[in-house]
Amino acid sequence: MAKERKRRQPADAPPPGDDDEGRDHRREKKPRKERPDPVLPSQIKNKDKRKEVHAKLKREKKAQKRKLARERGQAAQRAPPEKLVPRTIENTREPDETVCRPDDQELFAGNDADEFNAVLKQQTTPKVLITTCRFNSGRGPAFIEELMQVIPNSCYVKRGTYELKKIVEYANHRDFTSLVVVHTNRREPDALLIINLPAGPTAHFKLSKLILRKDIKNHGNPTSHKPELVLNNFTTRLGHRVGRMIQSLFPQDPNFRGRRVVTFHNQRDYIFFRHHRYIFEMKENKIASKDKKAKTSESKSQPEKQVICRLQECGPRFTLKLLTLQHGTFDTKNGEYEWVHKWLSSDEQAGWQIAACCWVLLLHMAWGSHPIQARPYVSARTSVQAGAYDTEVGWSRVQQCSGTWLAPSPGPAMLSAPVWSNG
């Protein structure tokens, strides 16, 4: 008879009945081994070993990146996330109360009685006269030449020494429907005056960021076809009126064979002008076939025809900013203004002028020069003498400043509420 061998148990072993306590004891006795920190390639002195470790880490990083991208793609297929709309000035500005509605009967009735109705209903053919200021040089002639190619049925008349009222009479006698005056300053076009004939209105625009055709890369040459006209975001009452005024410069029966398009895009109260030619082309895109029985590569890829449109800019390119809209033809003395750009009030302008003179006085004191007796500063925009504010804002305290300094109107004078853009 074999004797049962008793298992030897350690001295600190728990009694046979307490199994749970024994397990806990064994867990406490075997501590987990902490993984050592990975060795960086910069810590390895052997060049070959260092290259090998670096390549291994790079492969692991790429594999991890591909794995995360695969997981993101699978999650997007299961539940596509909603596209986040960025917050911009356009979609966060307050809606304008003067935005035209499609069912506004009053607006339609006003269109039938305004000054542009005859041209827009093709009862009269638009005929545009283009002229300049008295001293025209620099890029002015080149800009007028390109403007005549943009506007059909337009002609140029040299201004000479004639007054603008005489030019308006000359255009009325020869049945012109519009008069465009290009103003240049320091050999650079800086303003555009559009006068609707015979009875107005007159719009004065600031012209900036002019780029002629020769300065546009890969530009095209326009043809003599009548262009198509695109007006964007002229949605308020004022914008609707300005848009109809611009529309009256162009014929209302475009020639689509010429594939020309002229765009006036209004955004943040600035009108961006572009002139393009377009062409439609057929493009074949090869799409992989899902037929598994297809053996050749030609049968696997099936061509699909797609219509694409290409644009070529013809120039010029410029930006307009409406400054004034006046009833009737051009009259600076007795004219009645329909809309004027908002400048600073007289009190605000006086404050800015006082601050500017104080800065000039401080600069003279720092430079050590002798200030000269001040002369009253006349603002070209408001025609108000700063000397008239002696008793109101304490002009007598700043009696000495540079007589040669002529400060322009301050920057905040350009700030205004939204004019006709809603968004």
Side-chain angles (χ1 to χ4, degrees):
M1 183 175 178
K3 296 182 179 179
E4 296 180 359
R5 298 180 179 179
K6 297 182 179 179
R7 297 179 180 177
R8 295 181 180 179
Q9 297 181 355
D12 56 348
D18 300 337
D19 295 337
D20 297 336
E21 294 180 3
R23 291 172 186 169
D24 297 339
H25 181 74
R26 286 194 296 271
R27 288 174 185 171
E28 293 177 0
K29 194 172 184 180
K30 294 181 180 180
R32 295 180 180 179
K33 295 182 179 180
E34 296 181 358
R35 293 183 180 181
D37 296 335
V39 181
L40 299 177
S42 59
Q43 298 175 353
I44 301 174
K45 296 183 179 181
N46 192 321
K47 184 177 180 181
D48 296 335
K49 186 65 176 177
R50 184 168 62 246
K51 285 184 178 180
E52 182 181 351
V53 173
H54 176 70
K56 183 179 179 181
L57 291 176
K58 198 171 181 180
R59 286 194 301 271
E60 291 178 356
K61 189 175 181 180
K62 285 185 178 180
Q64 184 69 14
K65 192 175 180 180
R66 286 194 296 268
K67 182 180 177 182
L68 293 176
R70 198 181 307 113
E71 291 177 355
R72 285 196 300 267
Q74 293 175 359
Q77 290 179 0
R78 289 193 299 267
E82 297 181 0
K83 288 188 177 181
L84 300 178
V85 179
R87 291 175 58 85
T88 60
I89 298 179
E90 298 298 328
N91 60 17
T92 55
R93 71 190 310 174
E94 297 179 0
D96 200 336
E97 297 179 355
T98 62
V99 173
C100 302
R101 303 298 177 186
D103 55 348
D104 193 349
Q105 300 297 331
E106 182 183 354
L107 179 66
F108 298 147
N111 292 342
D112 296 336
D114 65 358
E115 303 88 344
F116 321 109
N117 186 40
V119 176
L120 298 184
K121 287 191 173 181
Q122 302 184 18
Q123 299 174 2
T124 305
T125 304
K127 189 178 177 182
V128 182
L129 175 65
I130 301 177
T131 186
T132 62
C133 57
R134 293 184 178 179
F135 304 99
N136 181 35
S137 61
R139 295 201 300 172
F143 174 59
I144 291 173
E145 182 180 355
E146 296 185 6
L147 202 62
M148 291 174 62
Q149 296 178 0
V150 171
I151 304 175
N153 200 15
S154 60
C155 63
Y156 169 70
V157 173
K158 189 176 180 181
R159 172 74 177 271
T161 58
Y162 292 101
E163 295 182 357
L164 192 56
K165 292 184 179 180
K166 297 292 183 180
I167 300 292
V168 171
E169 293 179 3
Y170 172 86
N172 280 327
H173 293 331
R174 285 157 181 79
D175 298 330
F176 283 95
T177 59
S178 297
L179 173 63
V180 177
V181 182
V182 179
H183 184 269
T184 57
N185 184 22
R186 296 181 180 178
R187 303 172 61 87
E188 189 71 20
D190 67 334
L192 205 66
L193 194 69
I194 301 177
I195 305 174
N196 187 67
L197 300 176
T202 301
H204 181 207
F205 295 94
K206 174 188 174 183
L207 191 147
S208 60
K209 297 183 180 179
L210 173 63
I211 301 177
L212 299 178
R213 183 184 303 134
K214 64 178 183 179
D215 300 327
I216 298 176
K217 188 177 179 181
N218 299 328
H219 65 83
N221 296 320
T223 60
S224 59
H225 297 84
K226 297 178 182 178
E228 306 170 43
L229 186 63
V230 178
L231 299 173
N232 290 333
N233 294 339
F234 291 87
T235 52
T236 62
R237 290 296 183 95
L238 179 62
H240 186 75
R241 185 162 176 79
V242 173
R244 286 176 66 86
M245 185 180 209
I246 295 174
Q247 191 177 358
S248 65
L249 298 175
F250 296 86
Q252 304 306 306
D253 52 343
N255 193 340
F256 297 99
R257 188 176 294 274
R259 295 178 281 107
R260 291 179 59 195
V261 58
V262 173
T263 305
F264 289 88
H265 177 73
N266 175 34
Q267 186 173 4
R268 303 178 191 175
D269 307 335
Y270 287 90
I271 303 174
F272 300 93
F273 173 85
R274 298 294 183 270
H275 181 204
H276 293 90
R277 289 186 66 192
Y278 63 89
I279 185 172
F280 294 103
E281 294 181 347
M282 297 294 294
K283 185 179 179 181
E284 292 186 356
N285 294 331
K286 292 184 178 181
I287 299 177
S289 177
K290 297 182 180 180
D291 189 6
K292 297 181 180 180
K293 296 181 180 180
K295 297 181 180 180
T296 62
S297 59
E298 295 181 357
S299 59
K300 287 183 179 180
S301 59
Q302 298 177 357
E304 181 184 356
K305 293 184 178 181
Q306 185 180 6
V307 180
I308 62 172
C309 179
R310 293 194 298 110
L311 291 176
Q312 185 181 30
E313 190 168 0
C314 299
R317 182 193 304 173
F318 56 86
T319 304
L320 298 176
K321 171 76 172 179
L322 182 65
L323 298 181
T324 60
L325 185 63
Q326 182 182 2
H327 287 294
T329 56
F330 182 76
D331 188 2
T332 56
K333 294 183 178 180
N334 302 319
E336 180 183 355
Y337 287 90
E338 187 175 341
W339 182 87
V340 180
H341 188 273
K342 182 181 178 183
W343 305 101
L344 284 178
S345 62
S346 58
D347 294 339
E348 292 173 340
Q349 283 191 355
W352 278 98
Q353 291 165 1
I354 292 293
C357 289
C358 290
W359 275 107
V360 171
L361 183 61
L362 291 175
L363 289 176
H364 276 293
M365 293 173 62
W367 292 338
S369 59
H370 299 284
I372 309 172
Q373 183 69 24
R375 59 183 177 184
Y377 168 69
V378 180
S379 174
R381 292 173 178 169
T382 58
S383 299
V384 177
Q385 290 189 356
Y389 296 98
D390 287 350
T391 57
E392 296 181 10
V393 293
W395 179 261
S396 56
R397 295 183 180 180
V398 189
Q399 288 292 334
Q400 290 183 341
C401 68
S402 173
T404 59
W405 175 73
L406 293 177
S409 186
M414 296 299 296
L415 300 179
S416 65
V419 182
W420 63 81
S421 173
N422 70 326

